[in-house]
Amino acid sequence: GGHLEEVRLQLQWVTQAQFAGYYVALEKGYYEEEGLDVTILPGGPDIAPPQVLAGGGADVMLNWMPSALAAREKGLPVVNIAQPFKSSGLMLTCWKDTGITSPEDFKGKTIGVWFFGNEYPFLSWMSQEGISTDGGEDGVTILKQGFNVDPLLQRQADCISTMTYNEYGQVLDAGVSEDELVTFKYEDQGVATLEDGMYVLEENLADPAFKEKMVKFVRASMKGWKDAEANPEEAAEIVLDYDETGAQTEAHQKRMMGEIAKLTAGSNGTLDPADFERTVNTLLAGGSDPVITAVPEGAWTHDITDEALN
Amino acid sequence: MQAPGPADVVIGADNVSLTFQTNDGPVHALKDVNLTVERGEFVSFIGPSGCGKTTFLRAIAALEHPTGGTLSVNGMTPDEARRARAYGYVFQAAGLYPWRTIAGNIRLPLEIMGYSKSEMDERVKNVLELVELSGFGKKYPWQLSGGMQQRASIARALAFDADILLMDEPFGALDEIVRDRLNEELLSLWARTGKTIGFVTHSIPEAVYLSTKIVVMSPRPGRITDVIESPLPKERPLDIRDTPEFIEVAHRVRDGLRAGHGDEL
Amino acid sequence: MQAPGPADVVIGADNVSLTFQTNDGPVHALKDVNLTVERGEFVSFIGPSGCGKTTFLRAIAALEHPTGGTLSVNGMTPDEARRARAYGYVFQAAGLYPWRTIAGNIRLPLEIMGYSKSEMDERVKNVLELVELSGFGKKYPWQLSGGMQQRASIARALAFDADILLMDEPFGALDEIVRDRLNEELLSLWARTGKTIGFVTHSIPEAVYLSTKIVVMSPRPGRITDVIESPLPKERPLDIRDTPEFIEVAHRVRDGLRAGHGDEL
Amino acid sequence: MNIKEVLTQQERAGAEIVPPSAAERRDAGRWGLVFNNFDLIGPSWSMERARLPAPHQVAQELWASTWDEEVNGRRGIVRSGTLSNRSLIYHGGVTLGATVVGFLIGAALGVALAVGIVYSRVMDLSVMPWAIISQTIPIVALAPMIIVVLYSVGLSGLVAKAVISAYLSFFPVVVGMVKGLRSPDQMQMDLLHTYNATPAQQFWRLRLPSSVPYLFASLKIGIAASLVGAIVGELPVQRGGLGARMLGGSYYGQTEQIWAALFAAAVLAAGLVWLIGWIERRTLRAMGAPT
Amino acid sequence: MTRLTVALGPGRALAIYLGAFVALAVLGLFAAEAVGAGIVVWLALLAFLGWHLIDALSRWDGMPRAAFTVAPLALGAVVLIGWEAVVRALGVPPVILPPPSAIAATFAGNLPTLWADFVQTILKGALSGYVIGCLFALGVAILVDRYDFFRRGLLPVGNFMAALPIVGTAPILVMWFGFDWQSKAAVVVVMVFFPMLVNIVAGLADTTQMQRDLMRTYSASYWQTLHRLRLPAALPFIFNGLKISATLALIGAIVAEFFGSPTVGLGFRINASLGQLALDMVWSVIVVAAIAGSLLYGALTLIENRLTFWHPSQRQ
Ligand SMILES: Nc1ncnc2c1ncn2[C@@H]1O[C@H](COP(=O)(O)OP(=O)(O)OP(=O)(O)O)[C@@H](O)[C@H]1O
Ligand SMILES: Nc1ncnc2c1ncn2[C@@H]1O[C@H](COP(=O)(O)OP(=O)(O)OP(=O)(O)O)[C@@H](O)[C@H]1O
Ligand SMILES: Cc1ncc(C[n+]2csc(CCO)c2C)c(N)n1
Ligand SMILES: [Mg+2]
Ligand SMILES: [Mg+2]
């Protein structure tokens, strides 16, 4: 009882089942049990979570590791304190009738890519394949993809970026059957990078009280995640209740939750240093315009998870 | 006097009334006005301020619509006559367009009526000379004195050949000498072209000097109190103003005016 | 004649020149104008259209700034006099604010000068009566005839007690009868209050009838060609206009005017 | 508009299409396709993710997300006592609040700046270029930053959105008002000059009344801009409002939802503009304009 | 202080203010880190001096024309110097607000990229949409003006379009017109339409009774009246609309790129750089937009001065 400690969590996108663990923890009082009063700040287009963190608008953020490492290089020292997502859900989805069967065939094709810090894995992959990204016969033409799958459906692009848990489902929902499509999961191509991790400012970690708070936060969040994995239907319902925009549909969130559970399945929250290294290597291979120029030091810590989960 | 054949009647007002609705009640600007004007007449309207002279002129030019009675122009409705471009109108205020030079303002009706370029230049030059504004063609209205603006607006109305010329106090802001000169010019133009002219003035000598017919009006409600046919010959040197006939007509007009004022004093 | 003591000089113009720069060259609206006006004088300005009458009045009221010479009013610069609220000005065009009623327009200077509510109502009523517009206080300017608008603008200038009254052709759009009445009113107001009045007119009889001093001007460049001190007594019934003195002065003015026109004809 | 997708659907359903492959159809003209496959285009009126939804689809969505949701929905006002977060009425209200607050701030700021520009030579010379520059900054780029900054001083929600609304709406008001305040003609100004009126008197009695036509033209644009600002502000702050609805619709490819939200925004705008027009007519009548 | 300016004479006052201003600026920039939060006082002093500097400048008849360009630059200097010093003094992280010096460096280092973005967004997207949108609004305004039927029918539709917010229209228009500049132009058309319509309609109504009556007595046709009276009379309003729309066109073209674009363009650059927290790049793009906007606005003002010289607002 008594008064609760405040924690503000900045999501990297709108309220959806991608963040179910946190909403479940909030709804079921796991945070409260730890003595935390958690506010979840939904993200949206153009909200850069690192910026919010730097401005003091949030205590913890969720971010994809390439973006977080880039921020670190830009002089904003963020540290990964937990990694609930074990594997990557990112993939390219292409029309089969374009004749694409392997990355080789991308040459001369038009591909939709998310920017805003999410372009790094793609650029690294292409440079590893030796394909130029400046268009033309031997390269790929890149489109900055919006927030939906229309470019594929309208055939403005031959391939687009999709997440297993979201956009891919939307393509199927649009009436396209799976055998009209070819997909390339980054995970399978060996260019996967770590997705939704929890990050805080390095300077804050020097404060034992803050550290203590984060321990509690990570513990409760992971409890929420494991709960969500176990009860996906219920988790999706909870997410829907927290969606203030009322835009999400039940069927969609339930399917998303199912797919998300596959990505979180392998993790108890602790970052696997091997995954980190693979991510860094992928990014360092980024060709002419690499995302990061050197192996980052101190970009992650086990201090929090060690204490929280053991 | 012989009744004019219908072909000769240019303006016929038959019991014309015009009432404005305003925020504090109706204003009877014209009431039961009857008037016949034949082709080639020069009619002056004179009367106290606010007696409906402007309103009547505007009604003739189809700029106001009588609320009662009928008004015909050249045997048509005023609006048909307007569409047949029967009118040249000089407004009480100059009303020049500020974005056009003086020459441009005078050219305006000519452009609208589709005169050729050389014809336009020719006419603009002539009327500018007529109103003594040669050399001011390239100035803008706000660069001219009040009287000069008024002359420019007269020039604008004289530049094209309207059948009927309606002039609302055109010479109000001019000194006697220019005024006399323009009076002579106007008479000679009238004699030359046989236009029908409706002319509002506050000057009794001017009215008598110019007109074949003088209409005296009186206010509240605006109505015609006297119509004086001038006995003066068509040929009028300036010194006709000292003849006994002239003085007699002037007296009659003055008496009519006084009577009009009487009701309100 | 005795030179006036400096305390008595209200308006002193010393070699005043004023040139406008326009798109096609400079216009010399005033050139080397010299004039002294004593307290309580009634000065008329007369001259052909465009000779600089308005410009001179505006310069006195600090609405234009001479490009040469000096101009003093009450021993100050015109601008200081303006700030001391020395002027009541009647413009050549009525210039009423279209969003105010007639009464509201007349109340405008009173509001600005901070009169009390009851004082304002009282004065508005009085001046409306003076110009024969009682009952039109609630109308908007566009609901009035041209002459009525002009009278409203006269009323506006008379509503407050300015030391110097500058009137630019105030009676141009009025008929003889109202004009005569307003002339008388103006004279009696002048006699009563001892104001100094500057008055532009195109009517020679009006100028002679009203003034103690008549300034005849001539154009291009605008300059003073004659200054006539009137020999008429201060007390002036309307029929003074038939006296030989009157007619003599009028002749002198007319000659001056003709001369002014001469240079350009 | 929807022809290509319709044909692809029909192909999946087993129909014969000319030309047969979707890749070829991509580059074909739309009217040609309609002509060649005339009997197959019926479903174009009832597609699920249409490029251009049929009017009845939008109408259905509108009905569903207003009346139907409130009256019959689980979260609707009838069942829960509060407006549903799935209803356009709720979201319209959220947007309206920010719009009005932002507009009031923006209009006041705009008028104040215009007065400053007209009365102060320093401001006249130096402010206008920067007001222009401020408007060339793409606000959508700044919106998140503004929101981040306001977050860090503890402001969020309505205020943040209102700030963006005000930012977009002040400029039209400045431009129009500067012109309007300068529109009195020489004689009107001279009259007050002879009275030695103070600048304040000159403002209230002449400049302001003369500027009214310009002011209202500007206010109409200003309030529309304010609405756009509120919606833009709702994008990054996914806390409801029509902007959030539009983004949601776009994100999940629910074209009808975008259209319905667009329609709601347009209704809101038309209403607000009409309201200002109404005030304008009343004002002009009170100022004695001929009717 | 203003009195001081008058007493000293603007020329000498100008020199004094300029000296003090430069001294203060240099001091602030070098001592910023040491001063910390006390910078606020310095800022107030800087603003105060800046004001009087511009004031003295505006009174100095040595360069009345130049004052028009120098004064805004002086204000700009105040803003930039203040910004730089505050960022340094308070240690604002560069991922939130970079100092002007860093922005200038990035700008200078990326000229080819920025030029390509400028061509894509401003020249192709914004300008074409601006021209089409304004012409379209003119057409509709004339229809509305000409036929009462359209006044009742189209004007409400116009008001309706007022708030078709870019956020809603952009995704749809990108869907319809593709990823390249055509869709951006379409967004701009929709955006500039309403302000133009409102201003043209208001302008066409801004004639006096007598001006209209004159045309009536000539029995001028609708088009003659439009061409010779109503359009000239509407010009001051039309230029209002053009100026407001000019800035909207830039915003529209840039923002539309957020909803899908090729990998070139100012909006794309902002979006991509924001994600990389390269705020110096974001601000460089903003500088490009600001320059483009100011040039466009300045050009419009020049044309306005030439065409509406007769309007009282131009003659004061
Ligand atoms: N638009 C209007 N609305 C209401 N009343 C009007 C309108 N126009 C004129 N009036 C009224 O109609 C009457 C006649 O006006 P009109 O302008 O015809 O007078 P006038 O004889 O031309 O006077 P003046 O010699 O002063 O120009 C006046 O009482 C005036 O107030
Ligand atoms: N603002 C101006 N710009 C340029 N020239 C001007 C301006 N105002 C007046 N003028 C010129 O100055 C001269 C004198 O004008 P002013 O108005 O003083 O004449 P006026 O004597 O009042 O004539 P009127 O009796 O016609 O009113 C005219 O030639 C006129 O063209
Ligand atoms: C403008 C913008 N584009 C992409 C992302 C990245 N992102 C984060 S979660 C997710 C998957 C959604 O299903 C994606 C694409 C972003 N944050 N902002
Ligand atoms: Mg009249
Ligand atoms: Mg004059």
Side-chain angles (χ1 to χ4, degrees):
Chain A
H3 98 193
L4 303 172
E5 281 185 283
E6 259 189 45
V7 176
R8 289 160 304 163
L9 169 68
Q10 177 65 54
L11 306 183
Q12 60 166 337
W13 195 242
V14 300
T15 302
Q16 58 179 355
Q18 183 188 359
F19 313 110
Y22 312 98
Y23 284 107
V24 169
L26 186 63
E27 174 70 15
K28 296 207 170 170
Y30 299 159
Y31 290 129
E32 219 170 322
E33 283 165 20
E34 295 280 353
L36 298 180
D37 170 16
V38 172
T39 311
I40 300 180
L41 305 168
D46 312 319
I47 284 278
Q51 217 186 10
V52 179
L53 207 60
D59 304 302
V60 202
M61 69 165 180
L62 299 183
N63 212 346
W64 286 3
M65 187 168 275
S67 157
L69 293 182
R72 221 183 137 77
E73 273 217 347
K74 290 276 178 211
L76 184 73
V78 291
V79 178
N80 180 304
I81 56 168
Q83 185 62 41
F85 276 49
K86 172 72 181 165
S87 23
S88 158
L90 187 58
M91 58 187 191
L92 277 189
T93 302
C94 310
W95 286 114
K96 195 178 253 170
D97 59 16
T98 56
I100 294 174
T101 53
S102 76
E104 292 293 284
D105 307 324
F106 288 160
K107 286 181 184 156
K109 296 289 191 286
T110 303
I111 299 184
V113 177
W114 285 314
F115 275 77
F116 208 77
N118 306 310
E119 68 275 31
Y120 301 130
F122 178 79
L123 296 177
S124 298
W125 180 21
M126 286 304 110
S127 98
Q128 283 183 18
E129 298 283 340
I131 298 175
S132 121
T133 51
D134 300 330
E137 276 299 299
D138 293 329
V140 292
T141 302
I142 300 183
L143 289 184
K144 184 179 85 90
Q145 180 178 334
F147 313 122
N148 60 36
V149 297
D150 286 333
L152 186 74
L153 298 180
Q154 322 271 344
R155 289 184 176 267
Q156 287 161 333
D158 301 307
C159 307
I160 60 165
S161 302
T162 55
M163 303 302 293
T164 51
Y165 48 82
N166 188 0
E167 287 80 6
Y168 187 62
Q170 288 189 41
V171 176
L172 300 185
D173 282 348
V176 181
S177 70
E178 286 198 48
D179 40 80
E180 286 177 84
L181 301 168
V182 187
T183 60
F184 301 89
K185 290 192 179 172
Y186 283 50
E187 200 70 57
D188 302 341
Q189 300 295 323
V191 288
T193 52
L194 281 171
E195 290 168 9
D196 306 32
M198 295 183 226
Y199 294 80
V200 298
L201 285 178
E202 192 166 303
E203 65 200 45
N204 290 343
L205 281 180
D207 173 10
F210 180 82
K211 237 170 148 174
E212 181 57 33
K213 203 160 71 170
M214 285 303 110
V215 169
K216 294 177 188 169
F217 177 75
V218 169
R219 193 184 300 135
S221 300
M222 288 318 298
K223 193 168 166 197
W225 269 121
K226 293 308 145 190
D227 192 319
E229 273 173 40
N231 310 296
E233 299 267 313
E234 185 197 22
E237 292 282 349
I238 292 174
V239 168
L240 277 175
D241 281 340
Y242 275 93
D243 165 34
E244 288 184 55
T245 67
Q248 325 288 20
T249 61
E250 201 166 314
H252 188 79
Q253 291 304 310
K254 285 189 173 154
R255 189 182 50 216
M256 186 185 294
M257 189 57 231
E259 292 294 328
I260 288 287
K262 292 181 195 161
L263 303 182
T264 56
S267 170
N268 67 353
T270 313
L271 172 75
D272 180 348
D275 292 341
F276 175 78
E277 258 156 52
R278 190 194 61 221
T279 300
V280 168
N281 288 337
T282 304
L283 294 178
L284 278 177
S288 62
D289 190 15
V291 183
I292 51 175
T293 50
V295 178
E297 296 295 331
W300 56 273
T301 173
H302 276 168
D303 289 2
I304 308 289
T305 37
D306 284 350
E307 214 177 306
L309 307 173
N310 301 324
Chain B
M1 208 171 64
Q2 205 192 326
D8 289 316
V9 174
V10 175
I11 301 169
D14 184 19
N15 264 321
V16 168
S17 296
L18 203 156
T19 308
F20 291 106
Q21 300 302 338
T22 74
N23 42 343
D24 59 342
V27 174
H28 299 282
L30 293 175
K31 190 155 167 72
D32 296 331
V33 169
N34 290 293
L35 186 72
T36 311
V37 176
E38 285 166 56
R39 181 163 316 287
E41 274 197 281
F42 195 126
V43 187
S44 286
F45 297 86
I46 195 162
S49 149
C51 69
K53 304 180 293 294
T54 299
T55 307
F56 190 51
L57 233 56
R58 288 173 58 82
I60 294 173
L63 298 174
E64 303 282 357
H65 298 283
T67 48
T70 55
L71 193 55
S72 72
V73 175
N74 283 337
M76 309 179 249
T77 66
D79 207 54
E80 284 159 354
R82 179 182 69 77
R83 269 186 249 121
R85 294 186 169 150
Y87 306 108
Y89 201 115
V90 179
F91 291 90
Q92 196 165 357
L96 302 168
Y97 289 177
W99 52 86
R100 284 180 171 246
T101 59
I102 298 305
N105 267 287
I106 296 173
R107 205 179 296 113
L108 177 68
L110 306 176
E111 287 174 10
I112 287 174
M113 296 174 192
Y115 284 73
S116 75
K117 172 100 187 53
S118 58
E119 173 87 9
M120 284 202 265
D121 291 345
E122 173 75 14
R123 282 174 177 251
V124 169
K125 193 170 153 292
N126 287 346
V127 289
L128 274 176
E129 235 159 60
L130 187 75
V131 299
E132 295 177 16
L133 282 179
S134 309
F136 287 87
K138 284 201 191 128
K139 295 253 189 302
Y140 284 93
W142 70 86
Q143 297 174 325
L144 259 55
S145 76
M148 292 157 100
Q149 291 180 24
Q150 204 177 28
R151 281 181 278 156
S153 93
I154 296 167
R156 181 176 59 186
L158 296 180
F160 63 100
D161 303 306
D163 208 28
I164 304 173
L165 202 52
L166 300 173
M167 308 176 88
D168 197 351
E169 294 187 47
F171 303 146
L174 304 179
D175 65 291
E176 278 185 21
I177 301 188
V178 183
R179 199 162 174 154
D180 283 350
R181 245 191 38 71
L182 285 179
N183 276 344
E184 281 184 294
E185 295 281 1
L186 188 59
L187 271 186
S188 89
L189 180 106
W190 171 65
R192 214 166 53 236
T193 57
K195 281 180 202 285
T196 310
I197 299 185
F199 188 91
V200 175
T201 180
H202 283 306
S203 158
I204 297 173
E206 189 170 77
V208 178
Y209 176 64
L210 292 172
S211 323
T212 58
K213 187 181 256 168
I214 301 163
V215 177
V216 183
M217 296 180 70
S218 122
R220 254 149 287 161
R223 64 197 181 283
I224 293 179
T225 51
D226 199 0
V227 178
I228 303 163
E229 302 282 344
S230 172
L232 301 181
K234 228 180 160 176
E235 201 61 53
R236 298 177 186 184
L238 269 176
D239 50 23
I240 202 173
R241 293 185 288 193
D242 299 323
T243 62
E245 288 95 337
F246 188 97
I247 294 174
E248 200 208 296
V249 177
H251 258 291
R252 190 166 154 204
V253 175
R254 183 163 293 120
D255 289 344
L257 263 181
R258 279 241 167 85
H261 269 282
D263 349 15
E264 58 167 332
L265 292 183
Chain C
M1 209 172 63
Q2 204 192 326
D8 288 315
V9 174
V10 175
I11 300 168
D14 184 19
N15 264 323
V16 168
S17 296
L18 204 155
T19 307
F20 291 105
Q21 301 301 340
T22 74
N23 43 342
D24 59 342
V27 175
H28 299 282
L30 294 175
K31 189 153 167 74
D32 297 331
V33 169
N34 291 293
L35 186 71
T36 313
V37 176
E38 286 166 55
R39 181 161 317 285
E41 273 197 281
F42 195 125
V43 187
S44 286
F45 297 87
I46 196 163
S49 152
C51 69
K53 304 179 294 295
T54 299
T55 307
F56 190 50
L57 233 56
R58 287 173 59 82
I60 295 173
L63 298 173
E64 302 282 359
H65 299 283
T67 46
T70 56
L71 193 55
S72 73
V73 175
N74 283 336
M76 307 178 253
T77 66
D79 207 54
E80 284 158 354
R82 180 183 68 77
R83 272 190 241 120
R85 292 184 169 150
Y87 305 108
Y89 200 117
V90 180
F91 291 90
Q92 194 165 357
L96 301 169
Y97 288 1
W99 55 87
R100 283 182 171 243
T101 59
I102 297 306
N105 267 288
I106 296 174
R107 205 180 295 112
L108 177 69
L110 305 177
E111 286 172 10
I112 286 174
M113 297 174 190
Y115 284 74
S116 75
K117 171 102 186 53
S118 59
E119 174 87 11
M120 284 202 267
D121 292 345
E122 173 75 15
R123 281 173 179 252
V124 169
K125 193 169 152 293
N126 287 346
V127 290
L128 275 177
E129 234 158 61
L130 187 76
V131 299
E132 295 177 14
L133 282 179
S134 310
F136 287 87
K138 285 201 191 129
K139 295 254 191 301
Y140 284 94
W142 51 272
Q143 296 175 321
L144 259 55
S145 76
M148 292 158 103
Q149 292 179 23
Q150 203 177 30
R151 283 181 278 155
S153 94
I154 296 167
R156 181 175 61 184
L158 296 180
F160 63 102
D161 303 305
D163 209 28
I164 303 173
L165 202 51
L166 300 172
M167 307 176 87
D168 198 350
E169 295 188 46
F171 303 146
L174 303 180
D175 65 291
E176 278 185 22
I177 302 190
V178 183
R179 200 162 174 153
D180 283 350
R181 245 191 37 70
L182 285 179
N183 276 345
E184 281 184 294
E185 294 281 1
L186 188 59
L187 272 186
S188 91
L189 179 105
W190 171 63
R192 217 166 52 236
T193 56
K195 282 178 201 284
T196 310
I197 299 184
F199 188 93
V200 175
T201 180
H202 282 306
S203 158
I204 298 173
E206 187 170 78
V208 180
Y209 176 64
L210 292 172
S211 324
T212 58
K213 187 181 255 168
I214 301 163
V215 178
V216 183
M217 297 180 69
S218 118
R220 252 150 288 162
R223 64 200 181 279
I224 293 179
T225 51
D226 199 0
V227 178
I228 303 162
E229 302 282 343
S230 171
L232 301 182
K234 228 184 156 166
E235 201 61 52
R236 299 177 185 182
L238 270 176
D239 50 23
I240 202 171
R241 294 186 287 195
D242 299 323
T243 61
E245 288 95 339
F246 188 97
I247 293 172
E248 201 209 297
V249 178
H251 258 292
R252 191 166 153 203
V253 175
R254 183 162 292 118
D255 290 343
L257 263 180
R258 277 243 166 85
H261 268 282
D263 348 14
E264 58 167 330
L265 290 184
Chain D
M1 268 300 185
N2 301 326
I3 180 70
K4 291 177 187 170
E5 291 73 36
V6 172
L7 294 180
T8 308
Q9 276 183 8
Q10 295 283 27
E11 182 181 22
R12 285 189 195 112
E16 288 271 324
I17 317 248
V18 192
S21 99
E24 282 170 77
R25 286 197 296 268
R26 178 170 82 176
D27 302 316
R30 290 212 164 86
W31 292 111
L33 288 176
V34 171
F35 183 76
N36 286 336
N37 304 283
F38 198 73
D39 47 334
L40 297 174
I41 60 175
S44 144
W45 292 97
S46 51
M47 286 176 60
E48 264 208 27
R49 333 173 29 115
R51 276 163 80 110
L52 177 62
H56 71 264
Q57 288 176 298
V58 177
Q60 259 166 17
E61 169 69 21
L62 272 172
W63 173 259
S65 53
T66 51
W67 180 261
D68 198 33
E69 177 67 26
E70 292 300 352
V71 173
N72 304 321
R74 181 160 71 92
R75 302 175 180 80
I77 192 162
V78 172
R79 304 235 178 128
S80 68
T82 52
L83 287 170
S84 163
N85 66 355
R86 299 187 159 239
S87 112
L88 283 175
I89 300 174
Y90 164 80
H91 292 292
V94 171
T95 305
L96 183 64
T99 302
V100 171
V101 174
F103 171 70
L104 292 179
I105 300 172
L109 184 71
V111 172
L113 272 179
V115 172
I117 287 173
V118 170
Y119 279 96
S120 154
R121 219 175 128 62
V122 177
M123 286 184 72
D124 183 22
L125 286 176
S126 51
V127 170
M128 204 53 184
W130 287 86
I132 300 157
I133 287 176
S134 80
Q135 294 302 300
T136 58
I137 296 179
I139 181 66
V140 178
L142 274 196
M145 288 190 244
I146 293 174
I147 283 160
V148 166
V149 170
L150 292 178
Y151 261 175
S152 48
V153 295
L155 289 174
S156 64
L158 186 98
V159 184
K161 289 189 275 173
V163 166
I164 296 167
S165 287
Y167 185 96
L168 280 185
S169 60
F170 93 93
F171 185 69
V173 179
V174 174
V175 173
M177 269 309 262
V178 167
K179 176 132 268 162
L181 291 175
R182 285 187 173 151
S183 68
D185 66 36
Q186 184 75 47
M187 198 202 307
Q188 292 174 323
M189 295 290 288
D190 285 348
L191 184 69
L192 289 187
H193 211 57
T194 64
Y195 301 152
N196 190 29
T198 63
Q201 290 171 327
Q202 188 197 52
F203 176 77
W204 289 110
R205 293 193 167 72
L206 175 57
R207 288 193 188 269
L208 188 66
S210 320
S211 72
V212 164
Y214 291 85
L215 175 64
F216 278 103
S218 297
L219 288 183
K220 285 181 194 166
I221 298 165
I223 201 156
S226 178
L227 182 63
V228 173
I231 289 175
V232 166
E234 281 161 358
L235 281 194
V237 195
Q238 288 285 312
R239 296 281 178 75
L242 295 174
R245 285 295 280 200
M246 286 177 204
L247 186 79
S250 157
Y251 187 32
Y252 298 107
Q254 318 224 326
T255 330
E256 306 96 88
Q257 195 175 313
I258 310 184
W259 280 88
L262 265 180
F263 190 79
V267 168
L268 213 55
L272 290 170
V273 171
W274 178 85
L275 181 70
I276 293 200
W278 182 78
I279 298 173
E280 177 182 22
R281 285 190 294 278
R282 300 278 309 225
T283 312
L284 288 179
R285 212 171 307 148
M287 287 172 61
T291 34
Chain E
M1 281 289 257
T2 306
R3 234 173 278 142
L4 186 66
T5 304
V6 175
L8 285 172
R12 209 173 318 155
L14 191 61
I16 294 177
Y17 289 130
L18 193 63
F21 183 82
V22 171
L24 190 71
V26 171
L27 194 78
L29 288 182
F30 283 97
E33 277 89 349
V35 182
I39 198 79
V40 178
V41 179
W42 173 87
L43 204 60
L45 207 61
L46 189 79
F48 179 79
L49 266 182
W51 177 279
H52 283 92
L53 186 64
I54 298 171
D55 183 62
L57 200 68
S58 72
R59 285 164 201 274
W60 185 36
D61 37 36
M63 46 186 318
R65 280 244 138 250
F68 279 91
T69 41
V70 177
L73 293 181
L75 179 69
V78 174
V79 172
L80 291 182
I81 294 169
W83 174 354
E84 178 90 28
V86 167
V87 167
R88 287 197 200 176
L90 303 182
V92 177
V95 295
I96 297 233
L97 188 64
S101 52
I103 297 171
T106 308
F107 183 88
N110 291 283
L111 286 179
T113 314
L114 291 173
W115 172 253
D117 293 344
F118 169 81
V119 171
Q120 167 78 13
T121 305
I122 307 288
L123 298 188
K124 291 187 187 161
L127 282 185
S128 59
Y130 180 65
V131 172
I132 297 171
C134 291
L135 290 178
F136 184 52
L138 182 66
V140 172
I142 287 172
L143 279 183
V144 162
D145 178 68
R146 171 91 219 244
Y147 303 103
D148 207 43
F149 170 74
F150 285 112
R151 175 177 297 280
R152 283 157 216 274
L154 272 185
L155 208 52
V157 175
N159 294 349
F160 228 65
M161 280 183 70
L164 286 190
I166 182 159
V167 187
T169 52
I172 293 175
L173 292 170
V174 169
M175 190 189 335
W176 287 358
F177 294 99
F179 277 65
D180 212 344
W181 61 268
Q182 292 86 346
S183 60
K184 315 308 178 276
V187 169
V188 172
V189 169
V190 175
M191 254 188 123
V192 302
F193 175 73
F194 177 70
M196 282 311 292
L197 182 70
V198 167
N199 268 295
I200 300 176
V201 168
L204 289 178
D206 197 46
T207 53
T208 65
Q209 174 86 39
M210 201 200 308
Q211 291 174 330
R212 289 190 298 271
D213 284 348
L214 185 68
M215 284 300 186
R216 272 180 66 82
T217 64
Y218 299 150
S219 183
S221 72
Y222 174 82
W223 296 105
Q224 287 175 323
T225 309
L226 186 72
H227 168 203
R228 297 197 164 73
L229 170 61
R230 324 254 322 271
L231 275 183
L235 277 181
F237 282 85
I238 292 180
F239 273 99
N240 267 359
L242 284 174
K243 286 168 156 184
I244 294 168
S245 302
T247 61
L248 285 181
L250 298 196
I251 297 183
I254 292 172
V255 171
E257 289 179 3
F258 283 42
F259 296 84
S261 68
T263 54
V264 59
L266 296 172
F268 165 80
R269 196 70 55 206
I270 289 179
N271 188 246
S273 308
L274 202 58
Q276 300 164 3
L277 294 187
L279 284 228
D280 45 351
M281 191 64 184
V282 173
W283 281 97
S284 297
V285 174
I286 290 177
V287 170
V288 173
I291 293 174
S294 306
L295 287 181
L296 188 55
Y297 199 96
L300 284 172
T301 307
L302 278 184
I303 302 174
E304 180 185 27
N305 290 346
R306 291 190 66 102
L307 292 185
T308 68
F309 61 91
W310 48 270
H311 191 256
S313 70
Q314 297 285 341
R315 275 193 268 137
Q316 296 173 359

